[in-house]
Amino acid sequence: MTQAKSMEDLVSLCKRRGFVYPASEIYGGLNGFWDYGPLGTQLKNNLRDAWWQDMVLCPPTGPGGQPLQIVGLDSAIIQNPRVWEASGHVAGFNDPMIDCRQSKARYRADQLRYLHPTGEGEGRLFAFIEGDEKSFERALKLLGKYVKRDLGRGDVEILDIPEPDAELLARTVGPDATEPGTLTEPRPFNLMFPTIVGATGDWEENKAYLRPETAQGIFINFKHVMDTTRVKVPFGIAQVGKSFRNEVTPRNFIFRSREFEQMEMEWFCHPGEAREWFEFWRDQRLAWWKSIGLTGEDLRLRQHESDELSHYAKEGVGTADVEYRYPFTHPDFGELEGVAHRTDFDLRMHQEHSGQKLEVFDQERRERYLPHVIEPAAGLTRGMLAVLCEAYTRDESRPSPEIMRFHPRLAPIKAAVFPLVNKEGMPEIAERLVQRLRARFGRFGMIETDAKQSIGKRYARMDEAGCPFCFTVDGETVKDQTVTVRDRDTGAQERIAIERVESFLSERLGL
RNA sequence: GCGGGUGUAGCUCAGUGGUAGAGCGUCACGUUGCCAACGUGAAUGUCGUCGGUUCGAAUCCGAUCACCCGCUCCA
């Protein structure tokens, strides 16, 4: 019997077993930051390595079965601030917001419009949300009531003031308010983390930013990679690394944190082939998440509606998200990876802002162009969260009900070896087996051993850590050179020759 | 940023003004010898933090921080 998964139980297990700790907790914590413990670090490294192996070292074959070329990159977290001006992040990550003290609603300042009768701009104004018909009609009706006459659309003027001052706001009635003067002045929301470069840096003159995404590091190195690695379009550049966003509300464990890790690949291709590559990567990425264990009903692909497309994707063939049904989004889904056609937006912007030519010359086509980009951008920390959620299982019929059913490739502990009793030659045999397994599998994850306490307790600990196989040395081992293997998921045991342990693991772990 | 909730041992939680608690986990010893077993013992807390009221505060009040839920936000 399995029960519904609870986020609380998972968070508690993660702390108890050393997957994820609240950051700087001994000082009271810090909202939006998390530390990864011994098991969590290994799990995250395994997930990252799996992505790197399947993306850069052994990429899939293309739609026509052709080999694909993807190279790696590790760019600096802090770049020249002009990078973020070119990419649109300085403007786009700075939306000034207006709050309504009365209705508690919050509006983007650039989306508010102000209504007054034609030629009578000095009196009371009524705000509405641009593009929201209901909101407009409400403002029109209230304005009509206020001036005590019927107003049609031809009788009013609409003001578009991105940064309204206090005087104007004082005589404005908010979109959801009944009295004037309830709107606050616009306050900037800075989603980028500012910092200072230089030990004696002046704040304004030396201001730089921690990157809000890894993608731009790839675009600004596009020319370097083209010039130094003999790649030809179509090809990809992949990067894994930390990104930083001053989220308004960090929430839901490690799902939205202010410091997070991304795995992004920018696939550069001919504009005419964008659709084909978009569909290829979209399907490829969904299949990849399945291949590392997200095999259930909780993984899906969702094509974006046209009105939710980001600034660079409007002209493209689309955006699709790989989504996971996290316990806190249930029954809805939350984003895990976005696959977007970024068109040539980024290269074009960097070409304009830097003055450097970023076009390629295509020998086969005899054509010069800016490549289009298909971007599969996954959250490593979100991926880890999905993997944790998927793995977490409660089985009340077992003496140790909590089990982390990690895919063997991701499991932080690959195997454990126990002497059934801590005497009679068993610890020595177990220790020798541990050394053999470390030599063979140690580079993929931990090989644990434990001689203390009852065997059931040791099995239970390994279940919570998600170790797929436990080998136990017992009295028989001394006589006939066999050990028992216990399977994490079934609890079933079989006896195999101690000589066969490596080949058994190799086969079961796929390593 | 707003509203609601929560904060006591590693985890789950009890404790409504008068000596800081339980279960589980952890550790040690013994026993047992394949599923959180049994026995004995041990360690672990500025009761989130700071301030106030009080003879006395985990408990009442205020502020603050963190987490959870709902808004809002989320290239």
Side-chain angles (χ1 to χ4, degrees), chain A residues 44-60:
Chain A
K44 185 152 69 70
N45 286 351
N46 289 351
L47 181 58
R48 181 198 63 203
D49 292 347
W51 184 87
W52 192 261
Q53 283 156 15
D54 296 343
M55 197 57 103
V56 180
L57 303 178
C58 312

Side-chain angles (χ1 to χ4, degrees), chain A residues 47-48 50-56 58-60 70 263-265 277-292 294 299-301 320-323 336-340 374-380 383 409:
Chain A
L47 181 58
R48 181 198 63 203
W51 184 87
W52 192 261
Q53 283 156 15
D54 296 343
M55 197 57 103
V56 180
C58 312
I70 300 177
M263 311 186 286
E264 297 195 291
M265 195 274 287
W277 285 116
F278 170 74
E279 287 167 3
F280 171 77
W281 283 114
R282 181 195 62 195
D283 298 343
Q284 197 69 40
R285 295 307 304 153
L286 180 72
W288 185 80
W289 286 109
K290 286 184 182 166
S291 80
I292 54 150
L294 304 186
L299 188 75
R300 75 170 186 193
L301 199 62
D321 283 346
V322 179
E323 295 186 324
L336 173 58
E337 169 159 5
V339 182
I374 305 300
E375 173 196 76
L380 171 53
R409 193 175 173 194

Side-chain angles (χ1 to χ4, degrees), chain A residues 91 94-98 107-111 162-163 186-189:
Chain A
N94 273 298
D95 293 330
M97 306 296 296
I98 291 180
Y107 316 98
R108 268 172 58 173
D110 63 327
Q111 288 183 346
E163 292 186 35
R187 278 177 312 157
F189 269 61

Side-chain angles (χ1 to χ4, degrees), chain A residues 246-305:
Chain A
N246 251 324
E247 296 289 355
V248 179
T249 314
R251 202 53 82 80
N252 293 328
F253 199 31
I254 57 174
F255 181 77
R256 176 171 296 134
S257 42
R258 290 187 165 134
E259 173 176 343
F260 60 105
E261 223 159 335
Q262 295 184 294
M263 311 186 286
E264 297 195 291
M265 195 274 287
E266 309 297 329
W267 180 255
F268 300 93
C269 65
H270 187 273
E273 292 179 346
R275 180 171 297 280
E276 189 186 0
W277 285 116
F278 170 74
E279 287 167 3
F280 171 77
W281 283 114
R282 181 195 62 195
D283 298 343
Q284 197 69 40
R285 295 307 304 153
L286 180 72
W288 185 80
W289 286 109
K290 286 184 182 166
S291 80
I292 54 150
L294 304 186
T295 51
E297 301 275 295
D298 294 331
L299 188 75
R300 75 170 186 193
L301 199 62
R302 187 180 68 86
Q303 196 81 23
H304 275 210
E305 304 297 330

Side-chain angles (χ1 to χ4, degrees), chain A residues 222 226 347 351 356-361 368-371:
Chain A
F222 175 71
M226 285 297 291
L347 289 180
Q351 182 166 272
Q356 303 273 320
K357 271 256 177 292
L358 299 177
E359 288 178 330
V360 298
F361 183 71
R368 193 178 295 279
Y369 57 87
L370 273 179

Side-chain angles (χ1 to χ4, degrees), chain A residues 219-425:
Chain A
F219 297 126
I220 59 180
N221 280 290
F222 175 71
K223 197 169 147 55
H224 283 143
V225 173
M226 285 297 291
D227 289 347
T228 54
T229 64
R230 305 177 64 214
V231 288
K232 278 196 321 193
V233 172
F235 75 99
I237 305 178
Q239 167 159 235
V240 181
K242 293 228 167 169
S243 292
F244 303 81
R245 290 180 197 175
N246 251 324
E247 296 289 355
V248 179
T249 314
R251 202 53 82 80
N252 293 328
F253 199 31
I254 57 174
F255 181 77
R256 176 171 296 134
S257 42
R258 290 187 165 134
E259 173 176 343
F260 60 105
E261 223 159 335
Q262 295 184 294
M263 311 186 286
E264 297 195 291
M265 195 274 287
E266 309 297 329
W267 180 255
F268 300 93
C269 65
H270 187 273
E273 292 179 346
R275 180 171 297 280
E276 189 186 0
W277 285 116
F278 170 74
E279 287 167 3
F280 171 77
W281 283 114
R282 181 195 62 195
D283 298 343
Q284 197 69 40
R285 295 307 304 153
L286 180 72
W288 185 80
W289 286 109
K290 286 184 182 166
S291 80
I292 54 150
L294 304 186
T295 51
E297 301 275 295
D298 294 331
L299 188 75
R300 75 170 186 193
L301 199 62
R302 187 180 68 86
Q303 196 81 23
H304 275 210
E305 304 297 330
S306 56
D307 63 350
E308 56 177 322
L309 292 178
S310 39
H311 63 99
Y312 51 76
K314 287 240 168 24
E315 309 299 318
V317 302
T319 297
D321 283 346
V322 179
E323 295 186 324
Y324 187 77
R325 182 154 47 198
Y326 302 93
F328 51 81
T329 58
H330 196 278
D332 287 333
F333 289 71
E335 189 183 337
L336 173 58
E337 169 159 5
V339 182
H341 176 205
R342 291 182 81 127
T343 69
D344 61 357
F345 177 84
D346 303 277
L347 289 180
R348 198 171 70 238
M349 286 298 134
H350 287 303
Q351 182 166 272
E352 279 173 20
H353 282 75
S354 68
Q356 303 273 320
K357 271 256 177 292
L358 299 177
E359 288 178 330
V360 298
F361 183 71
D362 192 321
Q363 297 276 8
E364 280 166 44
R365 290 188 167 88
R366 312 294 300 167
E367 194 186 328
R368 193 178 295 279
Y369 57 87
L370 273 179
H372 273 216
V373 169
I374 305 300
E375 173 196 76
L380 171 53
T381 29
R382 279 188 185 181
M384 173 161 164
L385 179 56
V387 164
L388 283 167
C389 293
E390 183 86 8
Y392 183 84
T393 314
R394 275 197 82 89
D395 185 344
E396 302 294 347
S397 72
R398 282 173 53 159
S400 50
E402 288 185 304
I403 309 155
M404 297 303 282
R405 293 191 155 128
F406 296 122
H407 189 282
R409 193 175 173 194
L410 299 181
I413 302 174
K414 298 302 182 193
V417 180
F418 302 138
L420 182 62
V421 184
N422 200 16
K423 57 187 179 188
E424 292 161 23

Side-chain angles (χ1 to χ4, degrees), chain A residues 85-96:
Chain A
E85 288 168 21
S87 68
H89 285 86
V90 170
F93 261 49
N94 273 298
D95 293 330

Side-chain angles (χ1 to χ4, degrees), chain A residues 177-244:
Chain A
T178 53
E179 295 296 319
T182 66
L183 296 179
T184 64
E185 285 189 62
R187 278 177 312 157
F189 269 61
N190 240 311
L191 259 56
M192 275 203 291
F193 268 89
T195 188
I196 299 176
V197 175
T200 56
D202 166 71
W203 185 258
E204 277 314 312
E205 224 165 274
N206 300 291
K207 188 170 174 181
Y209 299 98
L210 308 188
R211 66 182 174 204
E213 63 175 20
T214 55
Q216 297 305 324
I218 294 177
F219 297 126
I220 59 180
N221 280 290
F222 175 71
K223 197 169 147 55
H224 283 143
V225 173
M226 285 297 291
D227 289 347
T228 54
T229 64
R230 305 177 64 214
V231 288
K232 278 196 321 193
V233 172
F235 75 99
I237 305 178
Q239 167 159 235
V240 181
K242 293 228 167 169
S243 292
F244 303 81

